[in-house]
Amino acid sequence: MSFLLGREIAPAEQPAFLAALGRAVRERTNLRPDVGLVLGSGLGGLADALDLEVAIPFGELPGWPPATAPGHAGQLLFGRLAGVSVVVQQGRFHLYEGHSAGFVAQPVLLMARLGAGVVVLTNAAGGVNPQFGAGTLMAIADHINLAGRSPLTGPNAPELGPRFPDMTGVWDAELRSRLHAAADAEGVALADGVYASLPGPSYETPAEVRMLARLGADAVGMSTALEAVAARWAGLRVCGVSLVTNPGAGLSGAELSHAEVLEIAATSGPALSRVLARFLGDLD
């Protein structure tokens, strides 16, 4: 299937795309992942701990282009981490790159098709809660989707998920508790908070950060919510962690830059990697 930038993908179209993607993956590996992990900006270092079986660049999968976002390697990694079979999405697709909501969510749907029952979503985020300074790790307790888009728009695919999926428990409370247990075991501080998702690519204005705080957000970024919605729709259990890389606009008086995001991610990413490895190793 050819890649069309920005082409909307309705849920009813996903089975055909996923079938083609699944065949392409199975030509390279027979590994059946139990867990899928999505690694956000600058957080690809977890891949170094992976007992790697095969790496598949995005551009070698049907309908997928190479990743373009800085700090995103753009490949699917298959192997074992802490004894658990995993598929790791090293980098992701974003609305701000011109992709549709259905396309942004397609990788987590592929993880479900390949056998994963759990997906762990990570991201680099800006701090909205003034108590969350650079380097804070925040387990995602809930999200606010302000992207104005949904991966579920259009005719439904009932074989994948219901027309009106309940989002009450999209962020699995038991898995979040296990993340906290893993963080405690590793001596890593882990907060809880609400993640707000905007489309980007501009960072938020100070007024928007104040608005987000009043709406109940603790961190803000340009990803994750659409993937969580699609994963929940498809029956996956979802958990995730945001790495706060900088205070939101207006909280520190400093200008924001992606270079700063990558720098803090490189510094604090290893702690998150330890937590996730422990979390996987302790899964039943």
Side-chain angles (χ1 to χ4, degrees), residues 215-231:
L215 290 176
D218 296 289
V220 60
M222 305 171 192
S223 67
T224 305
L226 301 182
E227 296 157 326
V229 168

Side-chain angles (χ1 to χ4, degrees), residues 38-41 43 92 120-124 223-224 240-242 272 276:
V38 181
L39 304 182
S41 293
L43 297 175
R92 53 164 45 102
V120 183
L121 304 175
T122 72
N123 58 59
S223 67
T224 305
V241 179
S242 293
L272 175 56
L276 293 180

